[in-house]
Amino acid sequence: MRKALFLLMLIPALSYAQDHTEMVKKIYDHQLTQSPVYENLRYLCKEIGPRLSGSPQAAAAVEYTRQLMMDYGFDTVYLQPVMVPHWVRGQKEITRVTNSDIKGAFELNSIALGNSVGTGAEGVHAEVIEVKSIEEVNKLGKAVAGKIVFYNGEMDPTKVNTFAAYGSAVVQRAYGASEAAKNGAKAVVIRSMTNRRDDIPHTGSLVYKPLMPKIPAVAISTNDADELSKLLAKQKGLKIYMETHCEMKEDILSYNVIGEIKGSQYPEEIITVGGHLDSWDVGEGAHDDGGGCMMSIEVGRTFIEMGIQPKRTLRVVMFMNEENGLRGGTEYARVAEEKGEKHIAALESDSGSFGPMGFSSMGKEEQRKKVQGWAKYFTPYHVWSFERVGSGADISPLESQGVFLMEMEPNPQKYFNYHHTNADTFEAVDKRELELGAATMTSMIYLIDQEGI
C-alpha cells in the first residue's frame, strides 16, 4: 500500500517536464510568414549603408535600431555610451607593380587594412619579398629591411569549417605589419582572407604592437596574390608602389543600443542576445553583421508580438565597434560587472545570415549538456549541430563573470566570399535563410528563458 502511494506521488513530478515542441513550431511559423526582418535589414543596408565606428552612418544606425525597438514596444530602450576608434580610409588606394618584365606596370586590386597608417601622397616604392607566414618573416630577419613584405599564406581549403581556416590564416593580417616592421620592412601586402579566387580585396583589422614602428598595410585579391607570386618566382627585384591616405583620428563617442523586456518571475536574471551594429566602410555590412542585429531584434519583437511573457529579463544589444576595437562588448561587460548584474546567458549572431545549422557554446559541462538535450526541438528545422565549443566576440568579455555563452552557427561555406568586402550587400542575404535564423535564435532564447541554464 505504501509503495503504491509513493508511486502515485511520483506521477506529477515525472510528468512535469514541459514539452516545448508546439511553441517552437509557432515561433518558426510566425517568422516564416509574418517577420519584418528582411525589410528591416534592407533599410539598414540601403538607407544607412556601411557603418564604421565613428562615422555618420554608425550614428544613424544607432538611432534607427533605438527607434525600431521602441516602436516594437520593448519595456525599456536606452543608449549605453562608449568611446570608439575613429579610423578613416581616405581616397582610394593605389597598389601597382612597377617593373614586371612580363606585364610591365599594372594595378593590383587592393584595400587598406583597418587601423592602418597611410603612406601619404609620397607613397612607398620598394622591392617585394614573399612569405607564407609570420614565422618566415622572423627567420628572414633583417633580409626584409627596406622591402615590402608580401604575406601570401592561404586559408586552408581542406578545413570544412571555414572559420577554423580563417582563424589559422588571419594572424598574418592582424600582426603581420608589426612583425615585418620590427625587422625594418617599409610596408606589407596581405593575401585576402578567403578561399575563393576572385578580384575582390578583403579589408579587416590589423593590430600594431606597442613600441614597434607602424607601417602601411593593404590586402590584395586572391587572383592578384596568385599572379604576384608567379611573377616573383620568375623575376628578382620586382617592385611595388603603394599609396594610401588612411588615418586614425581621436576617439569619438558612440553607443551600444539596448532594449529590454522585463522578466515576470526572475527579473534580476538577464539573458542577452545581440550582434554588432558597426561594419566596415565597404559594402553594406549585410552578413557582417547587419543580419545578426536584425535577427536579435526579432527575438524581442517576436516575444512581444506573440504575447510570450519572459520569466527572465530579455535584453537585446546592438554592440558598437566589434570590427576594429571591441569597445562595445568590453564596455557592456564592464558596466554589467560594476552594477552587479546577474547575466545567466548570452547569445550572439556574428557568423553571417546563411541557413542556421546549430549553436556553439561555452560554459559548464552540465549547461552544455542541457542545451544539447534541446536539439530535438530544432532537428525538424534542419538545425542539428550543438557540440562545438565557442562563442561570439562581443559577448566574450562576459566569460569572466561566469555567463553561459553561445553563438548561432549558420552554414559557413560562403561567408568568406563576402566578409569585409564590397560584396557584403543586402542582395547577398537570402530572405528565407534570414527568417530561419531569426526563428532559431528566438526559439533558443525561449528555451533558456523557460528552462533556465
Side-chain angles (χ1 to χ4, degrees):
M1 179 67 180
R2 286 182 179 178
K3 185 176 181 181
L5 183 61
F6 176 73
L7 290 172
L8 285 171
M9 290 171 65
L10 277 179
I11 290 173
L14 291 173
S15 61
Y16 182 76
Q18 187 177 357
D19 182 78
H20 299 286
T21 302
E22 184 178 349
M23 180 55 76
V24 169
K25 184 178 189 308
K26 286 180 179 178
I27 290 170
Y28 272 89
D29 289 351
H30 178 80
Q31 278 297 322
L32 292 171
T33 59
Q34 301 179 48
S35 176
V37 65
Y38 194 62
E39 170 57 24
N40 291 345
L41 179 63
R42 186 206 66 77
Y43 188 94
L44 181 70
C45 292
K46 294 301 181 185
E47 303 300 324
I48 296 175
R51 307 167 297 278
L52 188 61
S53 292
S55 69
Q57 293 90 342
V62 165
E63 180 56 26
Y64 169 59
T65 52
R66 183 185 75 89
Q67 191 64 53
L68 201 57
M69 288 191 273
M70 290 175 63
D71 289 347
Y72 287 147
F74 282 66
D75 294 333
T76 309
V77 182
Y78 60 97
L79 304 181
Q80 184 177 73
V82 56
M83 297 300 293
V84 299
H86 184 198
W87 181 81
V88 294
R89 182 174 302 282
Q91 66 194 64
K92 183 172 171 52
E93 303 87 346
I94 299 171
T95 307
R96 178 186 301 127
V97 175
T98 59
N99 65 332
S100 168
D101 292 342
I102 299 170
K103 297 183 66 173
F106 65 97
E107 302 290 330
L108 300 172
N109 292 293
S110 68
I111 192 167
L113 296 185
N115 299 342
S116 175
V117 297
T119 67
E122 67 276 13
V124 171
H125 191 207
E127 182 182 340
V128 186
I129 185 167
E130 180 180 358
V131 298
K132 296 296 177 64
S133 66
I134 285 174
E135 291 74 19
E136 191 175 344
V137 166
N138 288 325
K139 284 181 182 178
L140 288 169
K142 296 304 178 184
V144 306
K147 295 182 173 62
I148 294 175
V149 173
F150 166 41
Y151 285 96
N152 195 28
E154 296 187 43
M155 284 175 53
D156 186 349
T158 68
K159 290 184 176 179
V160 176
N161 183 343
T162 56
F163 285 88
Y166 174 77
S168 298
V170 77
V171 290
Q172 61 193 323
R173 190 198 75 203
Y175 303 109
S178 284
E179 293 298 319
K182 77 179 184 183
N183 290 303
K186 296 175 73 172
V188 296
V189 173
I190 311 289
R191 181 189 187 91
S192 283
M193 295 291 110
T194 177
N195 281 325
R196 190 177 187 177
R197 260 55 178 187
D198 60 24
D199 296 316
I200 303 172
H202 294 232
T203 190
S205 278
L206 65 76
V207 178
Y208 287 122
K209 293 185 177 180
L211 306 179
M212 289 188 186
K214 296 180 179 180
I215 59 175
V218 301
I220 60 173
S221 71
T222 49
N223 279 345
D224 282 346
D226 289 343
E227 181 67 16
L228 182 58
S229 183
K230 290 175 185 176
L231 291 175
L232 284 166
K234 297 175 181 177
Q235 178 182 339
K236 291 183 178 180
L238 197 71
K239 291 185 177 181
I240 279 180
Y241 172 76
M242 280 174 52
E243 185 181 326
T244 61
H245 295 266
C246 41
E247 61 176 315
M248 184 69 78
K249 296 179 178 290
E250 292 291 324
D251 285 0
I252 191 169
L253 178 64
S254 189
Y255 302 92
N256 294 327
V257 188
I258 301 173
E260 287 186 355
I261 304 172
K262 275 293 182 189
S264 59
Q265 295 183 34
Y266 315 105
E268 74 285 355
E269 295 186 4
I270 299 168
I271 303 170
T272 288
V273 59
H276 67 84
L277 193 53
D278 64 304
S279 74
W280 283 109
D281 57 326
V282 292
E284 295 168 355
H287 280 292
D288 188 19
D289 184 30
C293 288
M294 296 302 100
M295 288 188 287
S296 297
I297 292 175
E298 274 299 282
V299 175
R301 187 203 66 83
T302 303
F303 268 65
I304 295 167
E305 181 72 17
M306 293 183 64
I308 303 170
Q309 176 61 55
K311 295 179 179 180
R312 297 161 172 87
T313 293
L314 173 59
R315 186 180 283 176
V316 176
V317 183
M318 307 287 98
F319 295 99
M320 182 56 68
N321 184 232
E322 186 272 346
E323 291 294 3
N324 66 330
L326 204 68
R327 300 277 185 90
T330 302
E331 180 66 5
Y332 180 83
R334 186 196 69 78
V335 172
E337 186 168 30
E338 184 181 81
K339 290 183 174 180
E341 292 178 338
K342 183 182 179 182
H343 284 73
I344 65 166
L347 168 63
E348 183 170 351
S349 174
D350 185 20
S351 297
S353 300
F354 299 98
M357 293 172 56
F359 297 90
S360 60
S361 62
M362 291 177 62
K364 297 176 182 176
E365 192 55 32
E366 57 265 33
Q367 292 174 312
R368 284 174 41 77
K369 291 294 183 185
K370 188 171 188 175
V371 168
Q372 289 163 12
W374 295 336
K376 61 186 178 183
Y377 297 121
F378 293 93
T379 49
Y381 310 100
H382 296 184
V383 177
W384 51 268
S385 175
F386 290 79
E387 303 294 327
R388 199 175 76 82
V389 176
S391 80
D394 280 300
I395 61 175
S396 62
L398 290 168
E399 182 182 5
S400 62
Q401 299 175 37
V403 182
F404 183 68
L405 305 178
M406 301 184 71
E407 182 169 26
M408 187 172 73
E409 292 193 329
N411 188 310
Q413 300 310 318
K414 295 181 181 178
Y415 182 63
F416 292 99
N417 295 351
Y418 305 101
H419 184 244
H420 298 174
T421 72
N422 281 321
D424 187 12
T425 63
F426 172 71
E427 290 79 7
V429 176
D430 180 81
K431 179 177 183 287
R432 186 170 177 83
E433 289 184 329
L434 187 68
E435 292 167 349
L436 284 167
T440 300
M441 291 177 69
T442 304
S443 297
M444 178 55 71
I445 293 297
Y446 170 79
L447 291 167
I448 294 172
D449 175 63
Q450 293 294 304
E451 298 288 339
I453 195 67

